[in-house]
Amino acid sequence: MNRILHTAVLAACLLTSYALPSSAAHAADTYTAKVYANSLNVRSEPAASAAITGSLAGGAVVTVTDEQHGWLKVRAGSVSGWVAGYYLKRTSGAASAGTTSSANTTVKTSSASSGTAVVTASSLRIRGGPGTSYEVVGSLQSGNAVTILLRQNGWSRIRTAGGTVGWVSTQYLAGGSVPNISTASSNAQSGSVVRKSGTIRGKLIVVDPGHGGSDPGMLGTTYDTMEKDLTLQTSLYLRDYLTAKGARVELTRTRGDQKPALSRRVQIGTQLGADAFVSIHYNSSPKNVSGTLTFFYSELNDLRLARAIETRLGAGTGLRSNGLSFGNYHILRENPLPAALIELGFLSNPYDESIVRKAAYQRKAAQAVAEGLADYFNN
C-alpha cells in the first residue's frame, strides 16, 4: 500500500469504485511514517512550488495528518507542513494524538512468498491492512492454511484457500518460510509474487478501464469530458500497442455501459493467471495541478512495474509526470498480480483536459504504458 499517498480528490474520483476499506475518501485518521531520504523539504502547501518551511532528516518518524494528490501533511516536533509522499513509508496503522518524532522506529519487511502457514488461534481476524485500525475483511479458524504474500512489522499479508487477501497478526501463524523474491515460483493464482523477466511476447496483461456504466468517474470542468469514456478509449489503444508487441490482452470491460465490480476486475486477472494488471484512470483536484501519477500498493509486487511505466510516461506524453505514489485501493490491495493504477491527467485542469480528450494524447499515453510494460518484462 507501507506509506499511504492517496489524494483527497483522487479518492473522490475513485469513491464509487475504488473506495478505501475503513475510512472516508479523504484520510481521517493519523498514522506514523518514516522518512526515506537523506533530507526531505517540508513545504507550506502540497506543491513543489510552495515555500519551504523546514526539513526532515533521513530516518525521522513523523505523524501524517492529511493527504492530497501525492503529498502528505506531517508534523514532527516543531516542524509541520507538506512533504512529497514518495519519500515516506508508513510504520503504523494509526497514531494516537500527540505522537512525536522518533528516529528509532524501523520497518521490517520480508520478501514475498508462496509458502504456506497454518493458523494457531481459535479465531483470527483478517484485516484490510497491517494494523488493528483496519477494517475486518474476513476471519480464519485454527488449522486453516494460508499463503503468505508479505511480512511487515509483525503482520503478514495472506491469501486464504477461498481467495481472500488481507493481513493477519504473524504471531498466530505457524510455518510459512519466506524465500527471496528473485527465486519465488511463478503462479499468480496461488498468490505468489513473481519477478518477471525475459520478454513481453506471450505475456497476458489485464487492462482495466476505470469506472463505466452508471459510474462516469470524474467530469471535466471545462469540456464536461467523462472519465469513463477516456479510460475505455485509452485502454483500447493500449490493447492494440500491447498486441503489436506480441502480448495477450484481456480488458475488464469493452463497452461504456459495463461496470464490473472491483472484485470481478481483480478476479479476471487471477482466474486467467495473468502476468500483470494495469488500471487506467484520469484525475481531478481543487488545486491547479497537472500531469500524470502512477500508484502501486506492494513495494515487492507492484513497485517495479509502476516505476517502469512512470519512467516511460515521464519521458514525454505532453504532460509532466508527478511520479509514484502508494495507493490503498481495492484494485491494487486485493490483487495478487503485479499491478499499477495510472492517472493520465487532471480533468480539473483546463490545459490537461484540452490535451487528454484528444485521440493523439490517448495514443501517446497508451504507447508509453505499453513501453513501460515491455521494460518491466525485459529487465
Side-chain angles (χ1 to χ4, degrees):
M1 345 192 114
N2 302 305
R3 57 186 180 278
I4 293 201
L5 310 174
H6 63 279
T7 76
V9 185
L10 174 60
C13 162
L14 300 177
L15 181 59
T16 55
S17 69
Y18 289 86
L20 300 182
S22 58
S23 64
H26 191 50
D29 296 330
T30 61
Y31 60 89
T32 57
K34 185 177 180 180
V35 175
Y36 280 80
N38 292 332
S39 180
L40 182 59
N41 288 330
V42 180
R43 299 182 182 273
S44 60
E45 297 290 339
S49 59
I52 298 174
T53 59
S55 64
L56 296 167
V61 174
V62 300
T63 299
V64 179
T65 60
D66 199 0
E67 305 166 1
Q68 291 189 30
H69 46 273
W71 292 78
L72 298 182
K73 190 173 186 179
V74 303
R75 67 171 185 267
S78 61
V79 177
S80 65
W82 294 86
V83 300
Y86 181 65
Y87 297 104
L88 294 185
K89 185 172 182 179
R90 186 171 178 155
T91 60
S92 76
S96 59
T99 300
T100 57
S101 173
S102 167
N104 296 323
T105 303
T106 59
V107 178
K108 296 180 180 179
T109 304
S110 299
S111 297
S113 170
S114 58
T116 58
V118 176
V119 175
T120 59
S122 58
S123 180
L124 182 60
R125 293 177 177 179
I126 305 173
R127 296 185 178 273
T132 56
S133 64
Y134 289 91
E135 181 183 32
V136 175
V137 297
S139 64
L140 294 162
Q141 295 180 341
S142 178
N144 288 161
V146 297
T147 299
I148 298 177
L149 306 178
L150 179 67
R151 282 179 175 169
Q152 175 183 314
N153 288 343
W155 289 80
S156 294
R157 187 169 187 252
I158 57 92
R159 183 178 181 85
T160 70
T164 299
V165 175
W167 294 81
V168 299
S169 177
T170 303
Q171 65 178 314
Y172 299 114
L173 298 179
S177 60
V178 184
N180 187 280
I181 188 171
S182 63
T183 59
S185 62
S186 173
N187 188 340
Q189 296 193 56
S190 71
S192 61
V193 178
V194 184
R195 182 176 178 84
K196 301 296 181 182
S197 62
T199 175
I200 195 172
R201 182 169 296 279
K203 301 296 185 184
L204 176 58
I205 315 298
V206 173
V207 176
D208 173 43
H211 307 283
S214 60
D215 173 19
M218 296 309 304
L219 295 177
T221 55
T222 303
Y223 302 101
D224 293 325
T225 310
M226 283 200 296
E227 182 185 3
K228 73 171 186 178
D229 294 338
L230 294 183
T231 61
L232 179 57
Q233 189 57 56
T234 305
S235 295
L236 292 172
Y237 287 135
L238 177 55
R239 178 190 62 185
D240 293 343
Y241 282 118
L242 290 171
T243 301
K245 292 180 176 296
R248 297 176 295 137
V249 180
E250 183 76 24
L251 269 65
T252 60
R253 69 179 182 95
T254 57
R255 301 194 314 272
D257 61 350
Q258 293 176 319
K259 182 191 170 184
L262 293 183
S263 58
R264 177 56 187 159
R265 297 178 195 236
V266 173
Q267 186 182 48
I268 288 172
T270 56
Q271 286 183 336
L272 294 174
D275 297 287
F277 185 104
V278 174
S279 189
I280 302 298
H281 286 262
Y282 286 82
N283 214 339
S284 180
S285 172
K287 302 286 186 178
N288 185 27
V289 289
S290 169
T292 65
L293 187 61
T294 304
F295 286 89
F296 66 95
Y297 180 77
S298 167
E299 290 189 358
L300 295 171
N301 208 18
D302 306 336
L303 181 55
R304 193 168 66 87
L305 171 62
R307 180 176 288 120
I309 293 172
E310 187 277 331
T311 297
R312 286 289 185 168
L313 288 172
T317 62
L319 295 179
R320 66 185 293 267
S321 169
N322 290 299
L324 301 170
S325 283
F326 172 87
N328 189 17
Y329 303 117
H330 182 108
I331 209 74
L332 301 178
R333 185 184 63 248
E334 305 301 327
N335 205 328
L337 305 174
L341 187 151
I342 309 164
E343 299 281 354
L344 291 172
F346 283 81
L347 295 179
S348 54
N349 183 302
Y351 174 76
D352 277 23
E353 186 183 2
S354 69
I355 294 293
V356 303
R357 65 199 307 266
K358 297 176 181 177
Y361 172 82
Q362 295 163 24
R363 286 194 294 267
K364 189 179 297 184
Q367 184 175 15
V369 174
E371 294 293 344
L373 279 160
D375 294 341
Y376 168 72
F377 288 107
N378 289 335
N379 294 329

